[in-house]
Amino acid sequence: MEFPRIIISSDRSDSGKTLFSSALMRLLSKKLKVRGFKAGPDFIDPKYHKIASGVPSINLDLWMMGEQGVIRSLSKYGKGYDLGIIEGVMGLYDGIDIEYSTYKLSLVTKTPIILLINCSNVSSTVGAIIKGLKEYGNANVKGVVFNQIRSESHYNYCRNSVKDVPVLGYVKFDEKFVIPSRHLGLYTTEDYKEAEETIKRAAESIEKTVDIGKILEIAHTASLLPDEDLERGKNENERNKIAAIAYDSAFNFYYEENIDLLRKKYEIRLFSPLMNETVENADLIYIGGGYPELHLPDLEKSHKTIGWIRKEAENGKSILAECGGLMYLSKEIIDERSYKMANLFDISIKAKDKLTIGYTELEIIKDNLLGSKGQIIRGHEFHVSRVIDVGKDIEFSMQNKLGKGIWDRKDGVTVYNVLASYSHFHFSSTTRLLSFNF
């Protein structure tokens, strides 16, 4: 399958990859069908891609999905599109020993790389940076764009220092070309209402300063992909069940492909704990991560939602809660004071502590929604909260081989048919929840 595509990478985080990738998607979407992708375990950046291109962005994570899983998803979601733009994660070689990096993703998917280098505090030295990035792993770097260029002379210094990689242009310095950040990364699009205007303004700017034609030429050098059917495994006869998914400013960390996989078996209905909503006749309740720590007074008052969740749990309904969802199902979240939550688990959580971020690998030690005893599953952790007390009757269903987990390197607390974890998961590698093979 022919699917022209590029990877946008850099030497580090905070280089402007998300805004540049989104601006490029917005600009090219005027004439082409563009699909955005995000390398690694990121929930926030794909939201900006969706605003830019008008279609959901898909994560490609080698750790959770494996090489074949990544290739399958790239092919599946690239089908019918003219161009794919893959935003890299952190710096080009960052991951677990390079093995799960943007560089490795480029090798696995045979996708050319365009570097975006933040030149706010550098000029001629960028030539050395680019040379090092390209030669360190013999990376497939086909072009470079400079970010935060303040003047024509600044651009010329940067451009003249680069010897072996085509310079494709620059993004001028503009105080408005910034997406604000907070403790878990960029503001989510649910909370940053200026996202659309910022992307639009950046797209208008790069149209004048970046060689878009050359970028398209580079994209067409990407290798062919296997032909993957997006509808594979779909069974309309099974879609008589309902999956209730929490979605609002407190809970919005979900992989688009996870939702698509659920759609193959469930009718999706969204509910907002912040709005005290429920879903009738739900067979599965899924509460993802997000920012519950920013909405504690409202979550404490969501008595109708809490009562519904507790009743459904006691009736044996399947409930999966990840990270922020775990916090919501705990006894209390402590910030300035203690905020009472659903109390399905006798767990006390401090709202804001040190950042925990990284991949996890877990051995299932007790059958749960995601697998059977003895299985190994992979995920990732991404939170600033910390469990400070666990009741004596708490049962864990997973042992961390990698990652911190909830308590004493254990994760996946269970009660009734409920599973709550600090780890986030990609459902393509956890088939038990959906009861069919992918």
Side-chain angles (χ1 to χ4, degrees), residues 374-424:
Q375 285 185 312
I376 304 295
I377 58 176
R378 288 178 166 184
H380 72 99
E381 298 170 316
F382 183 45
H383 57 87
V384 295
S385 64
R386 179 172 63 90
V387 173
I388 57 175
D389 189 57
V390 172
K392 60 182 177 62
D393 295 327
I394 289 292
E395 293 187 6
F396 293 94
S397 64
M398 295 184 282
Q399 175 75 53
N400 280 74
K401 297 168 72 68
L402 179 68
K404 292 184 178 180
I406 293 174
W407 189 262
D408 193 26
R409 291 181 62 82
K410 290 185 175 66
D411 208 339
V413 289
T414 58
V415 65
Y416 307 117
N417 199 28
V418 181
L419 173 65
S421 68
Y422 256 141
S423 275
H424 300 267

Side-chain angles (χ1 to χ4, degrees), residues 94-345:
D94 295 325
I96 301 179
D97 296 332
I98 304 179
E99 196 60 25
Y100 300 95
S101 63
T102 302
Y103 163 74
K104 183 69 173 183
L105 183 66
S106 171
L107 292 181
V108 168
T109 62
K110 297 180 172 60
T111 302
I113 299 164
I114 293 175
L115 295 173
L116 179 75
I117 304 297
N118 186 335
C119 299
S120 57
N121 294 305
V122 71
S123 57
S124 298
T125 302
V126 298
I129 294 171
I130 294 162
K131 181 180 176 66
L133 287 170
K134 180 176 172 61
E135 295 185 0
Y136 182 75
N138 193 26
N140 188 21
V141 175
K142 295 297 186 182
V144 60
V145 175
F146 302 128
N147 194 16
Q148 301 274 19
I149 294 295
R150 291 178 175 267
S151 66
E152 185 176 350
S153 60
H154 185 198
Y155 175 56
N156 287 334
Y157 280 126
C158 295
R159 181 180 59 185
N160 293 338
S161 72
V162 181
K163 305 303 181 185
D164 300 320
V165 175
V167 175
L168 307 178
Y170 65 93
V171 183
K172 70 177 183 179
F173 171 79
D174 189 325
E175 292 180 349
K176 296 179 181 178
F177 291 175
V178 176
I179 300 172
S181 299
R182 54 190 175 190
H183 54 280
L184 289 181
L186 299 178
Y187 269 66
T188 60
T189 54
E190 288 82 6
D191 293 338
Y192 181 53
K193 304 308 180 185
E194 296 82 4
E196 173 115 27
E197 183 60 30
T198 300
I199 292 170
K200 177 184 175 184
R201 191 181 297 115
E204 292 171 349
S205 178
I206 68 169
E207 186 173 20
K208 303 170 185 175
T209 59
V210 175
D211 190 340
I212 303 301
K214 183 61 177 177
I215 288 178
L216 291 175
E217 288 180 20
I218 293 170
H220 278 84
T221 67
S223 298
L224 297 177
L225 291 170
D227 197 349
E228 183 73 21
D229 186 358
L230 182 62
E231 300 302 311
R232 184 167 71 90
K234 189 173 183 178
N235 188 343
E236 293 290 349
N237 294 327
E238 283 194 330
R239 289 185 60 188
N240 57 355
K241 296 184 177 181
I242 295 171
I245 300 178
Y247 200 99
D248 53 27
S249 289
F251 307 100
N252 52 68
F253 286 2
Y254 299 98
Y255 293 126
E256 186 66 29
E257 189 164 5
N258 278 1
I259 306 303
D260 281 345
L261 291 170
L262 288 175
R263 282 195 183 98
K264 292 182 177 180
K265 187 166 184 176
Y266 297 91
E267 176 188 342
I268 304 297
R269 296 187 187 173
L270 304 181
F271 71 95
S272 168
L274 290 178
M275 299 299 291
N276 214 11
E277 294 176 343
T278 64
V279 175
E280 292 186 7
N281 303 316
D283 298 281
L284 168 69
I285 300 173
Y286 182 20
I287 311 170
Y291 286 96
E293 64 271 20
L294 301 181
H295 303 275
L296 295 176
D298 288 332
L299 290 176
E300 184 178 51
K301 292 185 291 187
S302 61
H303 303 299
K304 183 178 179 181
T305 302
I306 286 173
W308 166 65
I309 289 172
R310 289 186 58 86
K311 180 180 177 181
E312 297 295 81
E314 291 165 1
N315 288 336
K317 293 294 178 67
S318 298
I319 301 176
L320 176 64
E322 296 175 338
C323 198
L326 161 72
M327 297 170 69
Y328 189 49
L329 299 189
S330 70
K331 178 177 68 176
E332 60 180 347
I333 301 175
I334 300 168
D335 199 6
E336 296 88 1
R337 64 174 178 84
S338 170
Y339 294 87
K340 304 304 179 185
M341 295 292 124
N343 199 25
L344 268 177
F345 299 101

Side-chain angles (χ1 to χ4, degrees), residues 6 51 86 92 150 260 333:
I6 53 170
I51 287 177
I86 305 169
L92 179 59
R150 291 178 175 267
D260 281 345
I333 301 175

